[in-house]
């Protein structure tokens, strides 16, 4: 087993110190600080060889990143943030990486409605409408990828369940980074990694347990916790999780459920890694390797 990099160890400890800080730690774990800092983010600058535009729809927005050289695929990106944080620059950087794959992918990043202002099923309805919009632009289901991290990973799976149940075309593939698939927190890693997870560990006063997005619904509702749903006929999925994150078992159990009913799932567990470590992009070797795996997965016919 490959040992974790020095860069990963440094970032992990920085996260641990920030999330464990008496003053800002609680705000990080609930997502409050990230939301406050959003207003101070600089305007994102798209690469010279790509066009970036924001489309305001009825209840939400979609940001479209189009490379000058365009292949046949579109990708819908569903950002994380515990259903309480909107789209941030880090996900625009994710979109840039996706856009460079498969000879040029048109990337649709959905800035769906979030809690506490908007509870379930607001985010799912927005994602469904965004997917329909991509279909209306002339893409077929087998020309669309869906990628999501954390809450966005849960939304990606919930979307596919909704599409299947409403007889609409499913996407070609799913990329799931640290997907949040169980709002009941019933997996083994929630306890096993409770004191190891640098972001969410050590407390139950975090977005994992608060239920800000639930509204009047049960956390066992499959559109909220897809692990309680049916994984039959799901698209092939790549699932990447960190070894020490509390949500690790969500991805592991999803891979098991998919394989049990004949769906294709590739699970990758990264040693010593934390929640959505792919945000390290090229700065952390494990993150760079994860992105290489994502590109290989999407480009492999």
């Amino acid at each position: 087993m490959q040992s974790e990099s020095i860069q990963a160890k440094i970032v992990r400890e920085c996260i641990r110190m920030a999330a464990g800080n008496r003053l800002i730690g609680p705000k990080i774990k609930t997502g409050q600080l990230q939301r406050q800092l959003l207003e101070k983010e600089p305007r994102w600058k798209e690469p010279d060889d790509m066009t970036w535009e924001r489309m305001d729809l009825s209840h939400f927005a979609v940001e479209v990143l189009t490379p000058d050289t365009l292949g046949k695929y579109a990708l819908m990106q569903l950002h994380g943030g515990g259903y309480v944080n909107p789209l941030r620059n880090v996900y625009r950087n994710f979109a840039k990486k996706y856009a460079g794959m498969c000879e040029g992918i048109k990337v649709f990043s959905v800035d769906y409605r979030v809690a506490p202002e908007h509870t379930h099923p607001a985010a799912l309805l927005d994602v469904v409408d965004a997917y329909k919009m991509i279909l209306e632009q002339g893409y077929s289901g087998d020309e669309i990828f869906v990628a999501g991290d954390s809450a966005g990973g849960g939304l990606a799976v919930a979307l596919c369940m909704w599409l299947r149940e409403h007889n609409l075309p499913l996407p070609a593939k799913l990329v799931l980074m640290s997907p949040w698939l169980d709002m009941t927190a019933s997996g083994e890693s929630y306890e096993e990694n409770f004191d190891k997870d640098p972001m969410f560990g050590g407390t139950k006063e975090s977005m994992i347990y608060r239920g800000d997005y639930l509204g009047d619904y049960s956390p066992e509702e499959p559109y909220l916790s897809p692990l309680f749903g049916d994984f039959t006929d799901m698209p092939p999925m790549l699932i990447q999780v960190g070894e020490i994150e509390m949500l690790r078992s969500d991805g592991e159990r999803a891979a098991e459920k998919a394989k049990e009913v004949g769906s294709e799932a590739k699970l990758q567990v990264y040693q010593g890694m934390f929640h959505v470590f792919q945000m390290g992009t090229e700065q952390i070797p494990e993150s760079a390797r994860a992105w290489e795996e994502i590109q290989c997965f999407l480009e492999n016919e």
Side-chain angles (χ1 to χ4, degrees):
M1 182 180 292
Q2 189 171 4
S3 61
E4 60 189 298
S5 67
I6 294 175
Q7 295 95 319
K9 291 178 181 178
I10 292 172
V11 171
R12 185 184 65 209
E13 291 311 307
C14 288
I15 294 172
R16 190 185 307 279
M17 286 190 292
N21 182 278
R22 183 169 53 86
L23 296 177
I24 66 171
K27 292 184 178 182
I28 292 174
K29 292 177 185 290
T30 61
Q32 183 181 353
L33 181 64
Q34 295 91 314
R35 194 161 184 169
Q36 291 174 347
L37 293 176
L38 184 67
E39 300 175 358
K40 300 178 181 179
E41 277 197 328
R43 184 191 183 278
W44 188 73
K45 181 66 175 68
E46 68 271 30
D48 293 338
D49 59 349
M50 298 182 187
T51 303
W52 174 48
E53 64 174 324
R54 184 176 175 91
M55 302 169 54
D56 290 314
L57 305 180
S58 57
H59 299 295
F60 65 103
V62 176
E63 295 189 1
V64 184
L65 187 64
T66 307
D68 290 348
T69 301
L70 193 60
K72 70 175 184 177
Y73 292 107
L75 183 144
M76 185 167 74
Q77 178 183 206
L78 306 179
H79 66 82
Y83 293 97
V84 297
N85 283 309
L87 188 67
R88 298 183 288 135
N89 279 347
V90 65
Y91 295 109
R92 297 179 180 105
N93 292 334
F94 277 21
K96 180 175 69 173
K97 292 193 71 66
Y98 289 126
M101 300 177 187
C102 299
E103 300 180 343
I105 297 178
K106 191 170 186 175
V107 181
F108 298 79
S109 299
V110 186
D111 197 3
Y112 53 84
R113 289 172 290 172
V114 295
E117 296 85 357
H118 304 283
T119 57
H120 182 71
L124 177 60
L125 295 177
D126 293 349
V127 168
V128 168
D129 285 348
Y131 187 83
K132 289 179 178 178
M133 180 195 71
I134 298 172
L135 290 173
E136 290 168 358
Q137 292 201 8
Y139 290 96
S140 60
D142 59 9
E143 294 172 335
I144 302 173
F145 304 133
V146 177
D149 71 290
S150 195
L155 270 177
V157 179
L159 167 69
C160 290
M161 292 178 175
W162 192 97
L163 294 171
R164 182 191 60 205
E165 291 160 13
H166 289 80
N167 297 312
L168 287 172
L170 271 70
K173 295 179 181 180
L174 297 181
V175 174
L176 308 175
M177 304 175 181
S178 300
W180 189 15
L181 303 169
D182 177 14
M183 289 196 177
T184 71
S186 63
E188 292 182 359
S189 62
Y190 285 90
E191 295 298 328
E192 178 184 328
N193 288 337
F194 187 77
D195 292 319
K196 299 177 183 177
D197 189 316
M199 175 65 76
F200 299 116
T203 181
K204 292 196 174 181
E205 289 298 319
S206 73
M207 62 182 78
I208 293 177
Y209 295 101
R210 284 168 56 98
D212 293 324
Y213 178 66
L214 289 176
D216 297 327
Y217 290 83
S218 165
E220 295 184 4
E221 156 68 43
Y223 286 151
L224 284 164
S225 296
L227 271 182
F228 296 100
D230 181 6
F231 278 69
T232 302
D233 296 327
M234 295 293 282
M237 57 186 77
L238 173 64
I239 304 172
Q240 296 179 335
V241 295
E243 178 194 18
I244 64 170
E245 65 170 308
M246 291 173 65
L247 272 63
R248 187 192 71 208
S249 56
D250 285 23
E252 292 173 333
R253 293 164 69 194
E256 292 173 3
K257 288 199 67 171
K259 292 175 181 178
E260 285 172 359
V261 294
S263 295
E264 181 183 338
K266 183 177 183 179
L267 173 69
Q268 297 176 336
V269 181
Y270 284 75
Q271 182 184 3
M273 290 299 99
F274 37 86
H275 190 62
V276 197
F277 64 94
Q278 296 87 343
M279 287 185 180
T281 57
E282 289 80 22
Q283 308 306 314
I284 301 175
E286 292 86 347
S287 302
R289 190 165 71 249
W291 279 105
E292 290 172 0
E293 291 287 349
I294 291 168
Q295 182 166 0
C296 182
F297 173 71
L298 293 181
E299 293 183 350
N300 186 352
E301 297 288 348

